[in-house]
Amino acid sequence: MGIDFQKYRSWDGTHSSMIKRVAVLVKKEAFLALKSKWVIALIVLTYFLGVVTRMMSIVFMPVKFESSFFQGFFDDSQLWFILMAAVVGSGLIANDLRNKSIVLYFSCLPKSAYAAGKFGVVAGLLSIVVLMPGVLLFFMALLSSSESLANILDHIWILGAIVATGLFITALMSSVSLAISSITSDKRYAGAGIFMIFLLSDIVAGVMKDILKNDRLAMISIWNNIRMVGNQLFRMKLPYDFPWYESLLVLAAVIICSAGIIYWKIFKKEVRV
Amino acid sequence: MLFSTYRLSKYYGSLKALNELTVEVERGTVGLLGPNGAGKSTLLRILLGLIEPSEGSYEILGNKNGRVTMDMIGYMPEHDCLPPGLTAVGFVSYFGQLSGLPYDVAMERTHRTFDYVGLGEERYREMGSYSTGMKQRVKLAQAIVHDPKVVFLDEPTNGMDPEGREEMLSLLKDLASMDKSIVLSSHLLPDVEFVCKNVVIVNNGEVVTYGKVEELLGAQTLRVKMYGNERDFVKALKEKGCKVSGTGSEFMVEGDDAVSKVWNAARDTKVQVRYMGFHSRSLEEMFIDIVEGKNGN
């Protein structure tokens, strides 16, 4: 392994814009994540259980354009969403901390671009299982529906509700999983943390609500709050006896806390070299 | 101007990592020297924008307080920072793109840079299996692939065998000849002496000395072995304006016209001069003198 005396050459071309560089980060990290068999399995599982089974029911029994049919997809698939966030989001920052490659990123990208890129990776991959199947389901139902065009157009708002709910879940889960990934340098702990935050809050809320017979305790569960906001968007009856905007406030607080953790860990806390 | 700092301080609780550090460093090759805990890494981290100073200001390439465009900077960290699942080609081209190179340019420059740093077919292998020397070459390639104006190198020869170390230092010298500024932080003083024209010595968070290596080492000292009353001899030399260090019968003497002053002092104090010869200090000796405060600083 001797030196091959190739002369070093300068380059005076135009540098790519910051948006393009963030896109490079998103593409590379997403590509690496998609090489994981777990990620592929989760995508397949979500589409099979969430879309294919629903489509089969449509084939045998054409659906009415009712919001509960579409909202049900989000409710039934929560476990797959959580697993996807845990598998994809856990290592995004934790691995860079473990490899100490985070300083290399910071030496060539602003910290804001790094955070945006990492958020883009988890949000992009989550939207594959959260947002896209919902939209796909809507158009499949549209194609197989026997209802009149006028009736379908009357229910076009459901597509808006699907997109809004999907984006909201994606943004929430992305920020939570990124925040937890920035806390530890071990992706296993981060993955367990993400899983626990969603599942444990659900279990605790269920137990406490049953013991104390107080509907408001359902607010402890992140998923109950998502369900409340989702039902409001899909114009359905609220599952708990408190205003939906209180749930929205809780979820907004979760997102703000997550953003605060990311800001503290990436922007304020010293990066060791 | 490569970089300048003005009363730059960094506190960690009650500990002062940098204490009102002020220095103006010219473009070119600069060695950053100092004992462990002197503040070198803190200074490097601040210049790279990885941490904020507690007080004071700094400029790099004329840009104030880290507002330098990152495309101008390349950084080779000391520690292992290579993600294990990537090939060297994938890693360097990826960071080339993150530094602003378009995809095709990044790929072309990645291969050229690997040819330059001497990494052959191994570049297609996953980096987890690389030797320390190969990892150092990959890190150097990553730091220079996007053609930065200034390259920060933290212990670039760490863990390399003598042959690899020599090759790495030759590469750095070659890079420096291509109008690139190099900031080399190393505890291996011969490395700094070989590559750098300027040196900044930091101790206790302050700049102890800054200047051209040539000039700092230029002051030749006279090595004298004598027999007789050394106390009177040293006193006589000091009275004649010489700087004297050493104990016993062997002394290092600095000062204008030191040779004749030694002869005169020997005659006046009736001692025998048994050896006298000029001695060039190495950077290592100068560093030890400065850090231990033996040269009057």
Side-chain angles (χ1 to χ4, degrees):
Chain A
M1 192 169 58
I3 299 178
D4 182 357
F5 280 103
Q6 291 265 352
K7 253 333 217 182
Y8 182 81
R9 284 194 195 175
S10 290
W11 180 70
D12 52 7
T14 312
H15 286 89
S16 316
S17 67
M18 201 48 71
I19 292 171
K20 273 193 180 164
R21 298 187 207 187
V22 172
V24 167
L25 194 159
V26 174
K27 200 171 133 190
K28 181 81 175 181
E29 296 268 357
F31 177 73
L32 286 174
L34 285 169
K35 281 165 89 176
S36 155
K37 56 183 184 293
W38 293 107
V39 174
I40 298 295
L42 282 168
I43 291 173
V44 171
L45 215 59
T46 312
Y47 276 81
F48 181 76
L49 297 174
V51 181
V52 177
T53 53
R54 275 182 168 74
M55 286 316 301
M56 283 165 72
S57 74
I58 290 173
V59 171
F60 294 112
M61 190 177 64
V63 289
K64 284 190 171 181
F65 253 80
E66 282 179 356
S67 56
S68 60
F69 176 79
F70 301 100
Q71 199 275 342
F73 161 75
F74 292 108
D75 238 10
D76 298 345
S77 307
Q78 60 165 299
L79 180 66
W80 315 123
F81 299 166
I82 295 168
L83 282 171
M84 189 71 169
V87 171
V88 172
S90 58
L92 277 179
I93 297 176
N95 282 345
D96 293 342
L97 290 171
R98 194 192 61 211
N99 301 331
K100 295 177 182 170
S101 55
I102 196 160
V103 291
L104 294 181
Y105 282 104
F106 290 171
S107 68
C108 60
L109 280 178
K111 290 177 178 176
S112 53
Y114 172 81
K118 294 288 177 176
F119 184 86
V121 178
V122 67
L125 289 169
L126 266 174
S127 66
I128 293 176
V129 294
V130 178
L131 183 62
M132 280 163 59
V135 174
L136 185 69
L137 203 59
F138 178 84
F139 286 106
M140 299 286 259
L142 188 76
L143 290 173
S144 61
S145 174
S146 56
E147 296 202 23
S148 66
L149 186 64
N151 195 31
I152 289 171
L153 286 174
D154 277 350
H155 290 82
I156 200 75
W157 61 269
I158 290 176
L159 181 62
I162 291 170
V163 172
T165 308
L167 286 176
F168 191 68
I169 293 172
T170 301
L172 179 93
M173 294 186 112
S174 302
S175 50
V176 170
S177 51
L178 217 53
I180 293 173
S181 181
S182 70
I183 290 172
T184 172
S185 57
D186 192 325
K187 72 176 272 190
R188 289 169 302 177
Y189 293 143
I194 294 163
F195 195 73
M196 295 293 269
I197 267 196
F198 285 97
L199 220 64
L200 208 66
S201 69
D202 212 30
I203 293 165
V204 171
V207 171
M208 288 184 75
K209 194 168 77 67
D210 285 349
I211 294 171
L212 299 168
K213 307 285 180 210
N214 184 347
D215 242 20
R216 260 176 206 280
L217 289 169
M219 245 189 246
I220 295 170
S221 158
I222 293 178
W223 202 265
N224 283 345
N225 291 304
I226 291 173
R227 193 176 293 134
M228 284 286 282
V229 176
N231 279 26
Q232 176 66 25
L233 286 168
F234 280 98
R235 300 179 189 175
M236 289 164 62
K237 186 177 177 295
L238 297 179
Y240 304 105
D241 192 20
F242 56 85
W244 66 273
Y245 54 81
E246 287 184 15
S247 284
L248 186 66
L249 284 175
V250 171
L251 295 176
V254 171
I255 292 176
I256 290 167
C257 280
S258 302
I261 291 169
I262 296 166
Y263 178 76
W264 175 252
K265 294 294 288 185
I266 292 180
F267 291 80
K268 294 309 279 183
K269 202 166 179 290
E270 182 172 316
V271 177
R272 296 268 165 201
V273 286
Chain B
M1 186 74 62
L2 175 56
F3 69 83
S4 65
T5 64
Y6 178 69
R7 304 187 74 165
L8 199 66
S9 299
K10 180 71 185 175
Y11 310 122
Y12 295 104
S14 59
L15 179 82
K16 277 185 179 178
L18 291 184
N19 186 16
E20 300 196 350
L21 188 143
T22 302
V23 69
E24 287 187 356
V25 175
E26 295 297 325
R27 288 192 189 208
T29 46
V30 188
L32 202 56
L33 290 176
N36 288 339
K40 305 187 300 281
S41 295
T42 307
L43 177 61
L44 207 64
R45 277 186 243 166
I46 289 175
L47 293 175
L48 283 162
L50 297 175
I51 55 171
E52 300 272 317
S54 306
E55 280 168 20
S57 60
Y58 66 99
E59 276 184 25
I60 307 180
L61 303 169
N63 296 275
K64 274 200 168 175
N65 289 357
R67 291 202 178 86
V68 60
T69 161
M70 285 157 166
D71 313 335
M72 291 182 180
I73 287 177
Y75 173 48
M76 177 183 175
E78 175 191 0
H79 52 71
D80 197 357
C81 58
L82 308 177
L86 291 175
T87 63
V89 171
F91 169 73
V92 173
S93 63
Y94 174 44
F95 275 91
Q97 287 177 78
L98 291 183
S99 299
L101 300 181
Y103 174 77
D104 48 345
V105 178
M107 284 310 287
E108 190 211 332
R109 283 191 65 83
T110 295
H111 285 287
R112 278 190 185 284
T113 311
F114 279 139
D115 290 342
Y116 178 66
V117 302
L119 196 77
E121 293 301 305
E122 307 89 351
R123 68 185 74 169
Y124 299 106
R125 246 170 52 201
E126 281 195 6
M127 296 184 291
S129 60
Y130 279 12
S131 66
T132 308
M134 286 154 80
K135 284 180 179 173
Q136 295 294 82
R137 285 166 200 266
V138 174
K139 285 196 285 180
L140 178 64
Q142 176 277 135
I144 61 174
V145 68
H146 57 291
D147 192 26
K149 284 194 165 53
V150 49
V151 189
F152 288 87
L153 305 151
D154 202 353
E155 307 283 358
T157 56
N158 227 5
M160 294 183 95
D161 56 39
E163 194 189 342
R165 180 168 160 254
E166 209 170 287
E167 287 176 4
M168 176 64 82
L169 293 175
S170 302
L171 283 171
L172 299 183
K173 210 159 189 182
D174 189 55
L175 269 178
S177 71
M178 281 178 280
D179 201 26
K180 295 236 174 297
S181 290
I182 289 178
V183 180
L184 172 63
S185 170
S186 177
H187 69 278
L188 296 170
L189 303 172
D191 288 7
V192 174
E193 202 172 342
F194 183 77
V195 175
C196 300
K197 285 193 175 142
N198 297 302
V199 66
V200 180
I201 299 182
V202 183
N203 196 24
N204 296 326
E206 293 170 4
V207 170
V208 183
T209 197
Y210 165 64
K212 292 194 183 305
V213 176
E214 239 172 42
E215 286 171 11
L216 291 170
L217 299 179
Q220 285 192 321
T221 50
L222 206 54
R223 190 170 160 220
V224 178
K225 279 186 189 173
M226 49 76 67
Y227 177 75
N229 188 334
E230 74 250 22
R231 191 184 292 176
D232 288 350
F233 179 64
V234 170
K235 194 178 164 198
L237 278 172
K238 285 185 174 169
E239 279 170 2
K240 291 178 196 302
C242 291
K243 212 183 271 179
V244 186
S245 60
T247 51
S249 60
E250 199 171 321
F251 300 98
M252 305 302 282
V253 182
E254 278 178 66
D256 294 335
D257 197 19
V259 175
S260 62
K261 283 175 181 171
V262 167
W263 286 128
N264 289 337
R267 190 193 56 214
D268 296 348
T269 57
K270 296 186 172 53
V271 301
Q272 290 177 11
V273 175
R274 292 190 167 178
Y275 171 83
M276 183 158 59
F278 280 108
H279 172 77
S280 283
R281 290 194 303 176
S282 69
L283 192 57
E284 196 155 351
E285 285 170 310
M286 188 196 76
F287 175 75
I288 291 166
D289 282 354
I290 288 173
V291 169
E292 291 183 0
K294 279 185 181 170
N295 68 343
N297 280 321

Coordinates of all heavy atoms in Angstrom, one line a residue, chain A residues 224-273:
Chain A
N224 N -54.2 7.5 22.5 CA -55.6 8.0 22.8 C -55.8 9.4 22.3 O -56.8 9.7 21.7 CB -55.9 7.9 24.3 CG -56.2 6.5 24.7 OD1 -56.4 5.6 23.9 ND2 -56.2 6.3 26.0
N225 N -54.8 10.2 22.5 CA -54.9 11.6 22.0 C -54.9 11.7 20.5 O -55.6 12.5 19.9 CB -53.7 12.4 22.5 CG -53.8 12.6 24.0 OD1 -54.8 13.1 24.5 ND2 -52.8 12.2 24.8
I226 N -54.1 10.8 19.8 CA -54.1 10.7 18.4 C -55.5 10.3 17.9 O -56.0 10.9 17.0 CB -53.0 9.8 17.8 CG1 -51.6 10.3 18.1 CG2 -53.2 9.5 16.4 CD1 -50.5 9.3 17.8
R227 N -56.1 9.3 18.6 CA -57.4 8.9 18.3 C -58.5 10.0 18.4 O -59.3 10.1 17.5 CB -57.8 7.7 19.2 CG -59.0 6.9 18.7 CD -59.2 5.7 19.6 NE -58.2 4.7 19.5 CZ -57.6 4.1 20.5 NH1 -57.9 4.4 21.7 NH2 -56.7 3.2 20.3
M228 N -58.3 10.8 19.5 CA -59.3 11.9 19.7 C -59.2 12.9 18.5 O -60.2 13.3 17.9 CB -58.9 12.6 21.0 CG -59.4 11.9 22.2 SD -61.2 11.9 22.5 CE -61.4 13.6 23.1
V229 N -57.9 13.3 18.2 CA -57.8 14.3 17.1 C -58.2 13.6 15.8 O -58.9 14.3 14.9 CB -56.3 14.7 17.0 CG1 -56.1 15.7 15.9 CG2 -55.9 15.4 18.3
G230 N -57.8 12.4 15.6 CA -58.2 11.7 14.3 C -59.7 11.6 14.1 O -60.2 11.9 13.1
N231 N -60.4 11.2 15.2 CA -61.9 11.2 15.2 C -62.5 12.5 14.8 O -63.5 12.6 14.1 CB -62.5 10.6 16.5 CG -62.4 9.1 16.5 OD1 -61.5 8.5 15.9 ND2 -63.2 8.5 17.3
Q232 N -61.9 13.6 15.4 CA -62.4 14.9 15.1 C -62.2 15.2 13.6 O -63.1 15.7 12.9 CB -61.6 15.9 16.0 CG -62.0 17.4 15.7 CD -63.4 17.7 16.1 OE1 -64.0 17.0 16.9 NE2 -64.0 18.7 15.4
L233 N -61.0 14.9 13.1 CA -60.7 15.1 11.6 C -61.7 14.3 10.7 O -62.1 14.8 9.7 CB -59.3 14.8 11.3 CG -58.2 15.8 11.8 CD1 -56.8 15.2 11.7 CD2 -58.3 17.1 11.0
F234 N -62.0 13.1 11.2 CA -62.9 12.2 10.4 C -64.3 12.4 10.7 O -65.2 11.7 10.3 CB -62.5 10.7 10.6 CG -61.3 10.3 9.8 CD1 -60.0 10.3 10.3 CD2 -61.4 9.9 8.4 CE1 -58.9 9.9 9.6 CE2 -60.3 9.5 7.7 CZ -59.1 9.5 8.3
R235 N -64.6 13.5 11.5 CA -66.0 13.9 11.9 C -66.7 12.7 12.5 O -67.9 12.4 12.2 CB -66.8 14.4 10.7 CG -66.1 15.6 10.0 CD -66.9 16.1 8.9 NE -66.1 17.1 8.1 CZ -66.5 17.6 7.0 NH1 -67.6 17.2 6.4 NH2 -65.8 18.5 6.4
M236 N -66.0 12.0 13.4 CA -66.6 10.9 14.1 C -66.8 11.2 15.6 O -66.3 12.2 16.1 CB -65.7 9.6 14.0 CG -65.7 9.0 12.6 SD -64.3 7.9 12.3 CE -64.7 6.7 13.5
K237 N -67.6 10.3 16.2 CA -67.9 10.5 17.6 C -66.6 10.4 18.4 O -65.8 9.5 18.1 CB -68.9 9.5 18.1 CG -69.4 9.7 19.5 CD -70.4 8.6 19.9 CE -70.9 8.7 21.3 NZ -69.8 8.4 22.3
L238 N -66.3 11.3 19.4 CA -65.1 11.2 20.1 C -65.1 10.1 21.1 O -66.2 9.8 21.8 CB -64.8 12.5 20.9 CG -64.7 13.8 20.0 CD1 -64.5 15.0 20.8 CD2 -63.5 13.6 19.0
P239 N -64.1 9.3 21.2 CA -64.1 8.1 22.1 C -64.1 8.5 23.6 O -64.4 7.6 24.4 CB -62.8 7.4 21.7 CG -61.9 8.4 21.1 CD -62.8 9.4 20.5
Y240 N -63.6 9.6 24.0 CA -63.6 10.0 25.4 C -64.3 11.3 25.6 O -64.5 12.1 24.7 CB -62.1 10.1 25.8 CG -61.3 8.9 25.6 CD1 -60.4 8.8 24.5 CD2 -61.6 7.7 26.3 CE1 -59.7 7.6 24.3 CE2 -60.9 6.5 26.1 CZ -60.0 6.5 25.0 OH -59.3 5.3 24.8
D241 N -64.7 11.4 26.9 CA -65.5 12.6 27.3 C -64.7 13.8 27.7 O -64.8 14.2 28.9 CB -66.5 12.1 28.4 CG -67.6 13.1 28.7 OD1 -67.8 13.9 27.7 OD2 -68.1 13.1 29.8
F242 N -64.0 14.3 26.8 CA -63.3 15.6 27.0 C -63.0 16.2 25.6 O -63.0 15.5 24.6 CB -62.0 15.5 27.8 CG -61.0 14.5 27.3 CD1 -60.0 14.9 26.4 CD2 -60.9 13.2 27.8 CE1 -59.1 14.0 25.9 CE2 -60.0 12.3 27.3 CZ -59.1 12.7 26.3
P243 N -62.8 17.5 25.6 CA -62.7 18.2 24.3 C -61.5 17.7 23.5 O -60.4 17.5 24.1 CB -62.6 19.7 24.6 CG -62.9 19.8 26.0 CD -62.7 18.5 26.7
W244 N -61.6 17.6 22.2 CA -60.6 17.1 21.3 C -59.3 18.0 21.3 O -58.2 17.5 21.2 CB -61.1 16.9 19.9 CG -61.4 18.1 19.2 CD1 -62.6 18.8 19.2 CD2 -60.6 19.0 18.4 NE1 -62.6 19.9 18.5 CE2 -61.3 20.1 18.0 CE3 -59.2 18.9 18.0 CZ2 -60.8 21.1 17.2 CZ3 -58.7 19.9 17.2 CH2 -59.5 21.0 16.8
Y245 N -59.6 19.3 21.5 CA -58.5 20.2 21.4 C -57.5 20.1 22.6 O -56.4 20.4 22.5 CB -58.9 21.7 21.2 CG -59.9 22.2 22.3 CD1 -59.5 22.6 23.5 CD2 -61.3 22.2 22.0 CE1 -60.4 23.0 24.5 CE2 -62.2 22.6 22.9 CZ -61.7 23.0 24.2 OH -62.6 23.5 25.1
E246 N -58.0 19.5 23.7 CA -57.1 19.2 24.8 C -56.1 18.1 24.4 O -54.9 18.2 24.8 CB -57.9 18.8 26.0 CG -58.7 19.9 26.7 CD -59.4 19.5 28.0 OE1 -59.1 18.5 28.5 OE2 -60.3 20.3 28.4
S247 N -56.6 17.2 23.7 CA -55.7 16.1 23.2 C -54.7 16.7 22.2 O -53.5 16.4 22.2 CB -56.5 15.0 22.4 OG -57.1 14.2 23.4
L248 N -55.2 17.7 21.4 CA -54.3 18.3 20.4 C -53.2 19.1 21.2 O -52.0 19.1 20.8 CB -55.1 19.3 19.5 CG -54.3 19.9 18.4 CD1 -53.9 18.9 17.4 CD2 -55.2 21.0 17.7
L249 N -53.6 19.7 22.3 CA -52.6 20.4 23.1 C -51.6 19.5 23.7 O -50.4 19.8 23.7 CB -53.3 21.2 24.2 CG -54.0 22.5 23.8 CD1 -54.8 23.1 24.9 CD2 -53.1 23.5 23.2
V250 N -52.0 18.3 24.2 CA -51.1 17.3 24.7 C -50.1 16.9 23.6 O -48.9 16.8 23.9 CB -51.9 16.1 25.3 CG1 -50.9 15.0 25.7 CG2 -52.7 16.5 26.5
L251 N -50.6 16.6 22.5 CA -49.7 16.1 21.4 C -48.8 17.2 20.9 O -47.6 17.0 20.6 CB -50.6 15.7 20.2 CG -51.4 14.4 20.5 CD1 -52.3 14.1 19.3 CD2 -50.6 13.2 20.8
A252 N -49.3 18.5 20.9 CA -48.4 19.6 20.6 C -47.3 19.7 21.6 O -46.1 20.0 21.3 CB -49.2 20.9 20.5
A253 N -47.7 19.5 22.9 CA -46.7 19.6 23.9 C -45.6 18.5 23.8 O -44.4 18.7 24.0 CB -47.3 19.4 25.3
V254 N -46.1 17.3 23.3 CA -45.1 16.2 23.1 C -44.1 16.6 22.0 O -42.9 16.3 22.1 CB -45.9 14.9 22.7 CG1 -44.9 13.8 22.3 CG2 -46.7 14.4 23.9
I255 N -44.7 17.1 20.9 CA -43.8 17.5 19.8 C -42.8 18.6 20.2 O -41.7 18.6 19.9 CB -44.7 18.0 18.6 CG1 -45.5 16.8 18.0 CG2 -43.8 18.7 17.5 CD1 -46.4 17.2 16.9
I256 N -43.3 19.6 21.0 CA -42.5 20.7 21.4 C -41.4 20.1 22.4 O -40.2 20.5 22.2 CB -43.3 21.8 22.1 CG1 -44.1 22.5 21.1 CG2 -42.4 22.8 22.9 CD1 -45.2 23.4 21.7
C257 N -41.7 19.2 23.3 CA -40.7 18.6 24.2 C -39.7 17.9 23.3 O -38.5 18.0 23.6 CB -41.4 17.6 25.1 SG -42.2 18.5 26.5
S258 N -40.1 17.1 22.3 CA -39.2 16.3 21.5 C -38.3 17.3 20.8 O -37.0 17.1 20.7 CB -40.0 15.5 20.5 OG -40.8 14.7 21.1
A259 N -38.8 18.4 20.2 CA -38.0 19.4 19.5 C -37.0 20.0 20.5 O -35.9 20.2 20.1 CB -38.9 20.4 18.9
G260 N -37.5 20.2 21.7 CA -36.6 20.8 22.7 C -35.4 19.9 23.0 O -34.3 20.3 23.2
I261 N -35.7 18.6 23.2 CA -34.6 17.6 23.4 C -33.6 17.6 22.3 O -32.4 17.6 22.5 CB -35.2 16.2 23.7 CG1 -36.0 16.2 25.0 CG2 -34.1 15.1 23.7 CD1 -36.9 14.9 25.2
I262 N -34.2 17.6 21.1 CA -33.3 17.5 19.9 C -32.4 18.8 19.9 O -31.2 18.8 19.6 CB -34.1 17.4 18.6 CG1 -34.8 16.1 18.5 CG2 -33.2 17.5 17.3 CD1 -35.9 15.9 17.5
Y263 N -33.1 19.9 20.1 CA -32.3 21.2 20.1 C -31.2 21.2 21.2 O -30.1 21.6 20.9 CB -33.3 22.4 20.4 CG -32.6 23.7 20.5 CD1 -32.2 24.4 19.3 CD2 -32.4 24.3 21.7 CE1 -31.6 25.6 19.4 CE2 -31.8 25.5 21.8 CZ -31.4 26.2 20.6 OH -30.8 27.4 20.7
W264 N -31.6 20.7 22.4 CA -30.6 20.6 23.5 C -29.4 19.7 23.1 O -28.3 20.0 23.3 CB -31.3 20.2 24.8 CG -30.3 20.0 25.9 CD1 -29.9 18.9 26.4 CD2 -29.6 21.1 26.6 NE1 -29.0 19.1 27.4 CE2 -28.8 20.4 27.5 CE3 -29.5 22.4 26.5 CZ2 -27.9 21.1 28.4 CZ3 -28.7 23.1 27.3 CH2 -27.9 22.5 28.3
K265 N -29.8 18.5 22.6 CA -28.7 17.5 22.4 C -27.9 17.8 21.2 O -26.7 17.5 21.1 CB -29.4 16.1 22.2 CG -30.0 15.6 23.4 CD -29.1 15.3 24.5 CE -28.2 14.1 24.3 NZ -27.4 13.8 25.4
I266 N -28.5 18.4 20.1 CA -27.7 18.7 18.9 C -27.1 20.1 18.9 O -26.0 20.3 18.5 CB -28.6 18.4 17.7 CG1 -28.9 16.9 17.6 CG2 -27.9 18.9 16.4 CD1 -29.7 16.5 16.4
F267 N -27.9 21.1 19.3 CA -27.5 22.4 19.1 C -26.7 23.0 20.3 O -25.8 23.8 20.2 CB -28.7 23.4 18.8 CG -29.3 23.1 17.4 CD1 -30.1 22.1 17.2 CD2 -29.0 23.9 16.4 CE1 -30.7 21.8 16.0 CE2 -29.5 23.7 15.1 CZ -30.4 22.6 14.9
K268 N -27.2 22.7 21.5 CA -26.7 23.3 22.7 C -25.6 22.5 23.4 O -24.6 23.0 23.9 CB -27.8 23.6 23.7 CG -28.8 24.6 23.2 CD -28.2 25.9 22.7 CE -27.8 26.9 23.9 NZ -27.3 28.1 23.3
K269 N -25.8 21.2 23.5 CA -24.9 20.3 24.2 C -23.6 20.2 23.4 O -23.6 20.1 22.2 CB -25.4 19.0 24.5 CG -24.8 18.3 25.6 CD -25.6 17.1 26.1 CE -25.0 16.3 27.2 NZ -23.8 15.6 26.9
E270 N -22.5 20.2 24.1 CA -21.2 20.1 23.4 C -21.0 18.8 22.7 O -21.3 17.7 23.3 CB -20.1 20.3 24.4 CG -18.7 20.3 23.8 CD -17.7 20.7 24.8 OE1 -17.9 21.7 25.6 OE2 -16.6 20.1 24.9
V271 N -20.5 18.9 21.5 CA -20.2 17.7 20.7 C -18.7 17.3 21.0 O -17.8 18.1 20.8 CB -20.3 17.9 19.2 CG1 -20.0 16.7 18.5 CG2 -21.8 18.3 18.9
R272 N -18.6 16.1 21.6 CA -17.2 15.6 21.9 C -16.5 15.2 20.7 O -17.0 14.5 19.9 CB -17.3 14.5 22.9 CG -17.9 14.9 24.2 CD -16.8 15.3 25.2 NE -17.4 16.1 26.3 CZ -16.7 16.9 27.1 NH1 -15.5 17.2 26.8 NH2 -17.3 17.5 28.1
V273 N -15.2 15.5 20.6 CA -14.4 15.0 19.5 C -13.2 14.3 20.0 O -12.8 14.5 21.2 CB -13.9 16.1 18.5 CG1 -15.0 16.5 17.6 CG2 -13.3 17.2 19.2

